[in-house]
């Protein structure tokens, strides 16, 4: 699987620490990058492994581990009516 800018993706796996607060979130990939080292879970503040490809969502400053994501097929044009293109994470 490859995720490119503009792809519709869904978070389908919990973080390495076990937190699953944003599983189910759907967003449009805006950027991808390769990361090294470790990141911190925003929920429990444990280390989460983040080496590898990261994909940015919406505003571009939220990065998600590629291994947690699944690319989903965008709905056909007709079904897109009334659906917001960018879903914001709850704060
Ligand atoms: Zn956590």
């Amino acid at each position: 699987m490859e995720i490119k800018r503009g792809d519709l993706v869904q978070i389908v796996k919990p973080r390495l620490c076990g937190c699953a607060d944003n599983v189910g979130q759907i967003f449009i990939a805006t950027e991808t990058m390769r990361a090294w080292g470790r990141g911190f879970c925003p929920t429990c503040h444990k280390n989460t492994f983040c080496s590898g490809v990261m994909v940015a969502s919406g505003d571009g400053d939220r990065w998600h581990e590629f291994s947690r994501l699944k690319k989903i097929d965008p709905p056909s044009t007709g079904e897109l009516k009334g659906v917001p293109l960018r879903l914001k994470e709850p704060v």
Side-chain angles (χ1 to χ4, degrees), residues 4-49:
K4 299 189 297 291
R5 185 187 303 239
D7 282 346
L8 195 61
V9 290
Q10 183 171 29
I11 301 172
V12 293
K13 287 183 188 162
R15 292 188 187 92
L16 213 69
C17 56
C19 290
D21 47 292
N22 58 357
V23 165
Q25 186 197 335
I26 295 172
F27 63 89
I28 293 173
T30 54
E31 219 176 319
T32 59
M33 69 161 183
R34 183 166 290 274
W36 284 269
R38 288 174 179 272
F40 285 100
C41 171
T43 304
C44 71
H45 304 292
K46 287 180 189 162
N47 279 326
T48 53
F49 187 69

